[in-house]
Amino acid sequence: MADALPPETRQYISDNGLGFTNFDIKINYDYWSTNEILKSVLPQELVADGAPASFAATGHIAHLNLRDEYLPYKHLIGKIVLDKNKNLRTVVNKVNTIDDHDSEFRVFKMEVIAGDPDFNVVLNESDCSFVFDFSKVYWNSRLQAEHKRLIDMFQPGEVIVDGFAGVGPFAVPAAKKGCFVMGSDLNPESAAALQGNAERNK
């Protein structure tokens, strides 16, 4: 080990009575990140530009959007994502888009690739608690900043009309803030969740 050091470094160590100590370090599965593990187990040609380690979290659910080349390994990918994120219980992969002709209510079909087949989500946002079935309604966790931006603009006593209210990410916090809110949604599942969330956050 010392032979690999520059001469001036070896001289400094010698002059100051320093030395080396051997340590045994055991590195197990918990040490490595999701990205590192995926890069080590997937074919190299699939991870040359990065591994499919990113996801959107909605409550206990991780939502992936895997490209076609990753689909033969989807269960392995899902298991690793689940292993490395202890707050998750379910990993799903999107199998269509909300723009498909059969997505009238802007929901996408999904398949469970790891964990429990439980789509019933409880999450907190804007000081409110939301409960809904993620497989039956539209929710995008990446819009949290936009939700907050608009809610911060609302003032108590204002009238807010939300014709596409979903499960209530705008309508419910606005009502809690003291606004007069009228909210609706074409999707019956979203409308039912909206009503439940409104009651829950009074």
PDB file of all heavy atoms in Angstrom, residues 179-198:
ATOM      1  N   CYS A 179     -62.356  29.849   1.587  1.00  0.00           N
ATOM      2  CA  CYS A 179     -62.968  30.228   0.322  1.00  0.00           C
ATOM      3  C   CYS A 179     -64.314  29.514   0.158  1.00  0.00           C
ATOM      4  O   CYS A 179     -64.565  28.478   0.769  1.00  0.00           O
ATOM      5  CB  CYS A 179     -62.052  29.856  -0.852  1.00  0.00           C
ATOM      6  SG  CYS A 179     -60.433  30.649  -0.822  1.00  0.00           S
ATOM      7  N   PHE A 180     -65.166  30.077  -0.685  1.00  0.00           N
ATOM      8  CA  PHE A 180     -66.404  29.411  -1.084  1.00  0.00           C
ATOM      9  C   PHE A 180     -66.103  28.640  -2.362  1.00  0.00           C
ATOM     10  O   PHE A 180     -65.756  29.243  -3.385  1.00  0.00           O
ATOM     11  CB  PHE A 180     -67.519  30.425  -1.308  1.00  0.00           C
ATOM     12  CG  PHE A 180     -67.886  31.186  -0.062  1.00  0.00           C
ATOM     13  CD1 PHE A 180     -67.333  32.439   0.180  1.00  0.00           C
ATOM     14  CD2 PHE A 180     -68.750  30.635   0.864  1.00  0.00           C
ATOM     15  CE1 PHE A 180     -67.664  33.146   1.331  1.00  0.00           C
ATOM     16  CE2 PHE A 180     -69.088  31.332   2.025  1.00  0.00           C
ATOM     17  CZ  PHE A 180     -68.536  32.583   2.261  1.00  0.00           C
ATOM     18  N   VAL A 181     -66.198  27.322  -2.302  1.00  0.00           N
ATOM     19  CA  VAL A 181     -65.707  26.472  -3.391  1.00  0.00           C
ATOM     20  C   VAL A 181     -66.850  25.672  -4.005  1.00  0.00           C
ATOM     21  O   VAL A 181     -67.668  25.077  -3.291  1.00  0.00           O
ATOM     22  CB  VAL A 181     -64.614  25.508  -2.882  1.00  0.00           C
ATOM     23  CG1 VAL A 181     -64.135  24.604  -4.022  1.00  0.00           C
ATOM     24  CG2 VAL A 181     -63.445  26.294  -2.301  1.00  0.00           C
ATOM     25  N   MET A 182     -66.871  25.668  -5.332  1.00  0.00           N
ATOM     26  CA  MET A 182     -67.741  24.764  -6.083  1.00  0.00           C
ATOM     27  C   MET A 182     -66.839  23.876  -6.927  1.00  0.00           C
ATOM     28  O   MET A 182     -66.096  24.372  -7.776  1.00  0.00           O
ATOM     29  CB  MET A 182     -68.703  25.566  -6.972  1.00  0.00           C
ATOM     30  CG  MET A 182     -69.743  26.351  -6.198  1.00  0.00           C
ATOM     31  SD  MET A 182     -70.826  27.333  -7.258  1.00  0.00           S
ATOM     32  CE  MET A 182     -69.707  28.685  -7.678  1.00  0.00           C
ATOM     33  N   GLY A 183     -66.885  22.579  -6.664  1.00  0.00           N
ATOM     34  CA  GLY A 183     -66.017  21.654  -7.371  1.00  0.00           C
ATOM     35  C   GLY A 183     -66.799  20.486  -7.932  1.00  0.00           C
ATOM     36  O   GLY A 183     -67.779  20.026  -7.332  1.00  0.00           O
ATOM     37  N   SER A 184     -66.372  20.003  -9.101  1.00  0.00           N
ATOM     38  CA  SER A 184     -67.019  18.845  -9.720  1.00  0.00           C
ATOM     39  C   SER A 184     -65.987  18.105 -10.555  1.00  0.00           C
ATOM     40  O   SER A 184     -64.907  18.635 -10.856  1.00  0.00           O
ATOM     41  CB  SER A 184     -68.203  19.270 -10.590  1.00  0.00           C
ATOM     42  OG  SER A 184     -67.748  20.078 -11.674  1.00  0.00           O
ATOM     43  N   ASP A 185     -66.330  16.881 -10.917  1.00  0.00           N
ATOM     44  CA  ASP A 185     -65.449  16.111 -11.802  1.00  0.00           C
ATOM     45  C   ASP A 185     -66.284  15.103 -12.566  1.00  0.00           C
ATOM     46  O   ASP A 185     -67.240  14.526 -12.021  1.00  0.00           O
ATOM     47  CB  ASP A 185     -64.354  15.397 -11.004  1.00  0.00           C
ATOM     48  CG  ASP A 185     -63.194  14.981 -11.892  1.00  0.00           C
ATOM     49  OD1 ASP A 185     -63.262  13.880 -12.496  1.00  0.00           O
ATOM     50  OD2 ASP A 185     -62.224  15.750 -12.013  1.00  0.00           O
ATOM     51  N   LEU A 186     -65.923  14.881 -13.827  1.00  0.00           N
ATOM     52  CA  LEU A 186     -66.661  13.950 -14.678  1.00  0.00           C
ATOM     53  C   LEU A 186     -66.526  12.510 -14.195  1.00  0.00           C
ATOM     54  O   LEU A 186     -67.457  11.712 -14.329  1.00  0.00           O
ATOM     55  CB  LEU A 186     -66.160  14.078 -16.125  1.00  0.00           C
ATOM     56  CG  LEU A 186     -66.858  13.230 -17.186  1.00  0.00           C
ATOM     57  CD1 LEU A 186     -68.321  13.641 -17.314  1.00  0.00           C
ATOM     58  CD2 LEU A 186     -66.149  13.372 -18.532  1.00  0.00           C
ATOM     59  N   ASN A 187     -65.381  12.190 -13.618  1.00  0.00           N
ATOM     60  CA  ASN A 187     -65.118  10.831 -13.157  1.00  0.00           C
ATOM     61  C   ASN A 187     -65.876  10.577 -11.846  1.00  0.00           C
ATOM     62  O   ASN A 187     -65.609  11.242 -10.841  1.00  0.00           O
ATOM     63  CB  ASN A 187     -63.604  10.663 -12.941  1.00  0.00           C
ATOM     64  CG  ASN A 187     -63.223   9.263 -12.492  1.00  0.00           C
ATOM     65  OD1 ASN A 187     -64.064   8.437 -12.169  1.00  0.00           O
ATOM     66  ND2 ASN A 187     -61.919   9.000 -12.463  1.00  0.00           N
ATOM     67  N   PRO A 188     -66.804   9.627 -11.816  1.00  0.00           N
ATOM     68  CA  PRO A 188     -67.557   9.362 -10.579  1.00  0.00           C
ATOM     69  C   PRO A 188     -66.654   8.975  -9.404  1.00  0.00           C
ATOM     70  O   PRO A 188     -66.954   9.320  -8.254  1.00  0.00           O
ATOM     71  CB  PRO A 188     -68.491   8.204 -10.963  1.00  0.00           C
ATOM     72  CG  PRO A 188     -68.580   8.254 -12.450  1.00  0.00           C
ATOM     73  CD  PRO A 188     -67.256   8.768 -12.923  1.00  0.00           C
ATOM     74  N   GLU A 189     -65.562   8.263  -9.673  1.00  0.00           N
ATOM     75  CA  GLU A 189     -64.632   7.881  -8.602  1.00  0.00           C
ATOM     76  C   GLU A 189     -63.960   9.122  -8.015  1.00  0.00           C
ATOM     77  O   GLU A 189     -63.793   9.237  -6.798  1.00  0.00           O
ATOM     78  CB  GLU A 189     -63.581   6.910  -9.137  1.00  0.00           C
ATOM     79  CG  GLU A 189     -64.121   5.564  -9.571  1.00  0.00           C
ATOM     80  CD  GLU A 189     -64.507   4.688  -8.389  1.00  0.00           C
ATOM     81  OE1 GLU A 189     -64.087   4.988  -7.248  1.00  0.00           O
ATOM     82  OE2 GLU A 189     -65.226   3.694  -8.614  1.00  0.00           O
ATOM     83  N   SER A 190     -63.593  10.051  -8.874  1.00  0.00           N
ATOM     84  CA  SER A 190     -62.971  11.287  -8.396  1.00  0.00           C
ATOM     85  C   SER A 190     -63.980  12.122  -7.621  1.00  0.00           C
ATOM     86  O   SER A 190     -63.645  12.697  -6.573  1.00  0.00           O
ATOM     87  CB  SER A 190     -62.428  12.101  -9.573  1.00  0.00           C
ATOM     88  OG  SER A 190     -61.364  11.428 -10.216  1.00  0.00           O
ATOM     89  N   ALA A 191     -65.204  12.201  -8.129  1.00  0.00           N
ATOM     90  CA  ALA A 191     -66.233  12.989  -7.453  1.00  0.00           C
ATOM     91  C   ALA A 191     -66.518  12.436  -6.061  1.00  0.00           C
ATOM     92  O   ALA A 191     -66.676  13.198  -5.100  1.00  0.00           O
ATOM     93  CB  ALA A 191     -67.509  13.002  -8.297  1.00  0.00           C
ATOM     94  N   ALA A 192     -66.563  11.100  -5.941  1.00  0.00           N
ATOM     95  CA  ALA A 192     -66.804  10.489  -4.638  1.00  0.00           C
ATOM     96  C   ALA A 192     -65.642  10.755  -3.689  1.00  0.00           C
ATOM     97  O   ALA A 192     -65.843  11.060  -2.501  1.00  0.00           O
ATOM     98  CB  ALA A 192     -67.026   8.980  -4.809  1.00  0.00           C
ATOM     99  N   ALA A 193     -64.415  10.652  -4.205  1.00  0.00           N
ATOM    100  CA  ALA A 193     -63.238  10.932  -3.373  1.00  0.00           C
ATOM    101  C   ALA A 193     -63.191  12.396  -2.979  1.00  0.00           C
ATOM    102  O   ALA A 193     -62.823  12.740  -1.848  1.00  0.00           O
ATOM    103  CB  ALA A 193     -61.963  10.540  -4.112  1.00  0.00           C
ATOM    104  N   LEU A 194     -63.572  13.277  -3.892  1.00  0.00           N
ATOM    105  CA  LEU A 194     -63.617  14.710  -3.605  1.00  0.00           C
ATOM    106  C   LEU A 194     -64.565  14.991  -2.441  1.00  0.00           C
ATOM    107  O   LEU A 194     -64.228  15.736  -1.509  1.00  0.00           O
ATOM    108  CB  LEU A 194     -64.063  15.473  -4.854  1.00  0.00           C
ATOM    109  CG  LEU A 194     -64.378  16.949  -4.686  1.00  0.00           C
ATOM    110  CD1 LEU A 194     -63.145  17.722  -4.243  1.00  0.00           C
ATOM    111  CD2 LEU A 194     -64.932  17.517  -5.998  1.00  0.00           C
ATOM    112  N   GLN A 195     -65.747  14.389  -2.494  1.00  0.00           N
ATOM    113  CA  GLN A 195     -66.713  14.600  -1.417  1.00  0.00           C
ATOM    114  C   GLN A 195     -66.174  14.075  -0.090  1.00  0.00           C
ATOM    115  O   GLN A 195     -66.285  14.725   0.944  1.00  0.00           O
ATOM    116  CB  GLN A 195     -68.034  13.917  -1.759  1.00  0.00           C
ATOM    117  CG  GLN A 195     -69.132  14.150  -0.729  1.00  0.00           C
ATOM    118  CD  GLN A 195     -70.461  13.578  -1.162  1.00  0.00           C
ATOM    119  OE1 GLN A 195     -70.585  12.963  -2.223  1.00  0.00           O
ATOM    120  NE2 GLN A 195     -71.487  13.783  -0.348  1.00  0.00           N
ATOM    121  N   GLY A 196     -65.570  12.877  -0.137  1.00  0.00           N
ATOM    122  CA  GLY A 196     -65.001  12.313   1.082  1.00  0.00           C
ATOM    123  C   GLY A 196     -63.872  13.155   1.638  1.00  0.00           C
ATOM    124  O   GLY A 196     -63.778  13.370   2.857  1.00  0.00           O
ATOM    125  N   ASN A 197     -63.029  13.665   0.771  1.00  0.00           N
ATOM    126  CA  ASN A 197     -61.909  14.495   1.216  1.00  0.00           C
ATOM    127  C   ASN A 197     -62.383  15.836   1.776  1.00  0.00           C
ATOM    128  O   ASN A 197     -61.783  16.384   2.707  1.00  0.00           O
ATOM    129  CB  ASN A 197     -60.915  14.694   0.069  1.00  0.00           C
ATOM    130  CG  ASN A 197     -60.184  13.422  -0.276  1.00  0.00           C
ATOM    131  OD1 ASN A 197     -59.939  12.574   0.591  1.00  0.00           O
ATOM    132  ND2 ASN A 197     -59.846  13.250  -1.550  1.00  0.00           N
ATOM    133  N   ALA A 198     -63.461  16.373   1.190  1.00  0.00           N
ATOM    134  CA  ALA A 198     -64.020  17.619   1.705  1.00  0.00           C
ATOM    135  C   ALA A 198     -64.533  17.424   3.129  1.00  0.00           C
ATOM    136  O   ALA A 198     -64.305  18.253   4.014  1.00  0.00           O
ATOM    137  CB  ALA A 198     -65.134  18.105   0.786  1.00  0.00           C
TER     138      ALA A 198
END
